Amino acid sequence: MGTATFWWRARSISVGVGSDWRLYEARIQKRGIVVSTRRRSSSLPTLIVSSMPYEKELAAAKKAATLAARLCQKVQKALLQSDVHSKSDKSPVTVADYGSQALISFILERELPSEPFSIVAEEDSGDLRKESGQDTLKRITELVNDTLASEGSNSFSILTTDDVLTAIDNGKSEGGSVGLHWVLDPIDGTKGFVRGDQYAIALGLLHEGKVVLGVLACPNLPLASIGSNQQHSSNEVGCLFFAKVGDGTYMQALGGSTQTRVHVCDIDNPEEASFFESFEAAHSSHDLSSSIAEKLGVKAPPVRIDSQAKYGALSRGDGAIYLRFPHKGYREKIWDHAAGSIVVTEAGGIVTDAAGNPLDFSKGKFLDVVSGIIVTNQKLMPSLLRAVKEALNEKASSL
Ligand SMILES: Nc1ncnc2c1ncn2[C@@H]1O[C@H](COP(=O)(O)O)[C@@H](OP(=O)(O)O)[C@H]1O
Ligand SMILES: [Mg+2]
Ligand SMILES: [Mg+2]
Ligand SMILES: [Mg+2]
């Protein structure tokens, strides 16, 4: 008889019976749990169970977001007026938006062939299927193929215009509280992108309605801190933030390989804190956030930048607070917060609505929040919540 042995490591459990497992091995991989059975011809079985949750999903997401960032950088450099389209909500949608969505959808499906594939994404192919969209569709297809060719593999696929439409429309999933769903904003901060400022490629993964991993590619974000009063000799830009549930948040240079673990700042005195908000006053009330900042005693002026780059910057301690108060009637979408929120929470921060409730990503594409979204570290959250409540009450009584 063989002996039974248990090994415990940080994230794996191995149960072994017997000592020689050279002759047979079968692996079943399901939802990040690797189960291996190994036996030798004399039939002593060995069962190894190790948990590496979402490891391959994270690798695929980083690859997809990095390539999409390359595509977006190319377009932003050569941004032509004709690349800007108008959708019913009047937000500019660029060739890069569609190209990024098609590329990410294609790469995720290619890299994870054994998994059921579902993406909740911002764009759909409606306009590109019209006669008037044909030139744009050709341009997108060329861009996607050029980017795939730049991946360096000899056997890259060449996508047709139909393949591109199909890849974009993979993003029609409704999400929800059951199973695995990718959540994609192919360019978050489209207005910043068109202006030549900050934007992000934001990709998250939901499992049973909870965000379990997130990747944020921020091609124009400096690698050095952007907090107020910071001066750095390096002006290198391009950051990739990524986080997996229980594993912390990391940052690396886009296209680089050295990763650094990041943490939110540990300031507990609001007078030393600085805060982020949207560049666009139409997306978030600047008046309300300045009233909150005043109540808290924040001295520094707001840092206004576009996109989920704010979550990334906060996760590495560039600023202490992010305030977002959309104007009446606006409903938040999950792709604007899924990746950013896990990047911050895994770095030690807290993301809630204005009433202190955690964000609920399990209800489909909308993210219904009370009044707005607030983000900060553990120490500042109680006083921030008090200031938010006071400012909202004052606003309500002045109406
Ligand atoms: N009226 C509004 N209020 C709040 N958010 C809005 C808005 N109109 C658009 N947005 C969202 O704000 C996002 C940009 O965030 P930020 O203001 O932090 O830069 C946009 O993402 P897209 O650029 O992906 O469309 C869009 O989803
Ligand atoms: Mg948009
Ligand atoms: Mg967005
Ligand atoms: Mg977008």
Side-chain angles (χ1 to χ4, degrees):
M1 273 296 269
T3 48
T5 319
F6 291 80
W7 297 277
W8 284 84
R9 266 182 270 121
R11 306 199 134 259
S12 73
I13 310 162
S14 300
V15 183
V17 181
S19 56
D20 185 350
W21 47 34
R22 278 169 301 172
L23 298 178
Y24 173 74
E25 179 174 352
R27 287 195 151 217
I28 308 154
Q29 195 153 351
K30 198 180 171 200
R31 288 196 181 154
I33 307 293
V34 179
V35 181
S36 306
T37 56
R38 292 170 168 168
R39 69 170 69 222
R40 58 179 186 166
S41 48
S42 64
S43 84
L44 282 174
T46 299
L47 178 68
I48 297 178
V49 182
S50 63
S51 167
M52 300 188 298
Y54 316 115
E55 199 65 57
K56 61 188 191 338
E57 288 84 356
L58 179 63
K62 284 172 70 181
K63 184 187 262 191
T66 302
L67 270 182
R70 203 181 288 170
L71 180 151
C72 295
Q73 279 169 302
K74 195 172 164 187
V75 179
Q76 198 187 39
K77 266 194 199 147
L79 191 65
L80 305 167
Q81 201 51 40
S82 60
D83 283 335
V84 181
H85 291 254
S86 106
K87 264 198 323 192
S88 55
D89 70 358
K90 300 285 177 227
S91 67
V93 176
T94 64
V95 167
D97 250 320
Y98 292 119
S100 169
Q101 183 160 321
L103 192 59
I104 289 176
S105 162
F106 173 76
I107 290 172
L108 291 178
E109 201 169 18
R110 183 190 71 184
E111 300 282 315
L112 304 164
S114 60
E115 293 184 4
F117 190 54
S118 162
I119 315 188
V120 188
E122 185 181 4
E123 310 301 340
D124 69 66
S125 74
D127 288 348
L128 300 176
R129 290 181 186 275
K130 294 179 188 154
E131 195 50 44
S132 57
Q134 293 314 296
D135 285 348
T136 311
L137 176 59
K138 279 196 198 113
R139 175 97 201 279
I140 295 163
T141 309
E142 267 167 35
L143 257 176
V144 170
N145 282 326
D146 287 353
T147 313
L148 283 170
S150 75
E151 211 185 343
S153 135
N154 290 331
S155 57
F156 66 91
S157 326
I158 295 186
L159 305 193
T160 63
T161 50
D162 275 348
D163 295 334
V164 166
L165 291 171
T166 307
I168 291 172
D169 282 342
N170 275 336
K172 276 185 175 162
S173 165
E174 291 295 315
S177 60
V178 178
L180 284 169
H181 305 279
W182 291 99
V183 180
L184 172 64
D185 195 335
I187 294 186
D188 181 42
T190 329
K191 292 218 159 105
F193 179 80
V194 172
R195 240 192 279 113
D197 288 339
Q198 294 301 328
Y199 65 99
I201 292 104
L203 179 59
L205 180 66
L206 295 186
H207 190 190
E208 313 297 356
K210 298 262 190 288
V211 186
V212 292
L213 77 80
V215 174
L216 277 184
C218 305
N220 288 342
L221 189 69
L223 283 168
S225 170
I226 58 160
S228 46
N229 306 323
Q230 308 271 352
Q231 287 196 332
H232 293 275
S233 47
S234 155
N235 39 23
E236 206 183 326
V237 297
C239 304
L240 184 72
F241 296 90
F242 54 95
K244 199 150 63 68
V245 64
D247 264 5
T249 299
Y250 294 81
M251 185 188 85
Q252 64 189 53
L254 252 180
S257 56
T258 311
Q259 60 190 50
T260 318
R261 186 153 184 188
V262 294
H263 300 277
V264 295
C265 73
D266 64 355
I267 288 173
D268 58 1
N269 179 359
E271 288 189 18
E272 293 163 22
S274 63
F275 73 95
F276 292 108
E277 66 182 339
S278 288
F279 182 94
E280 297 287 335
H283 293 182
S284 183
S285 165
H286 289 175
D287 287 349
L288 194 55
S289 38
S290 71
S291 145
I292 294 163
E294 200 182 308
K295 287 183 193 310
L296 267 173
V298 170
K299 293 211 160 78
V303 179
R304 291 182 177 146
I305 59 170
D306 303 280
S307 84
Q308 287 170 72
K310 292 186 274 299
Y311 283 106
L314 198 137
S315 78
R316 66 181 188 191
D318 292 8
I321 300 167
Y322 168 22
L323 301 173
R324 184 179 191 88
F325 290 92
H327 300 283
K328 209 169 177 320
Y330 183 78
R331 280 180 93 183
E332 292 283 0
K333 320 294 183 311
I334 57 172
W335 51 73
D336 280 324
H337 301 282
S341 66
I342 192 169
V343 161
V344 163
T345 54
E346 283 297 322
I350 312 183
V351 183
T352 71
D353 70 11
N357 305 307
L359 305 188
D360 182 354
F361 291 93
S362 74
K363 298 281 195 289
K365 74 173 184 174
F366 290 107
L367 183 66
D368 286 325
V369 294
V370 175
S371 302
I373 293 175
I374 59 176
V375 186
T376 190
N377 65 21
Q378 318 255 350
K379 292 176 183 162
L380 285 172
M381 190 49 104
S383 39
L384 176 58
L385 267 170
R386 277 194 299 277
V388 166
K389 199 169 166 190
E390 243 180 76
L392 286 171
N393 285 341
E394 269 175 25
K395 190 182 162 201
S397 57
S398 72
L399 292 177

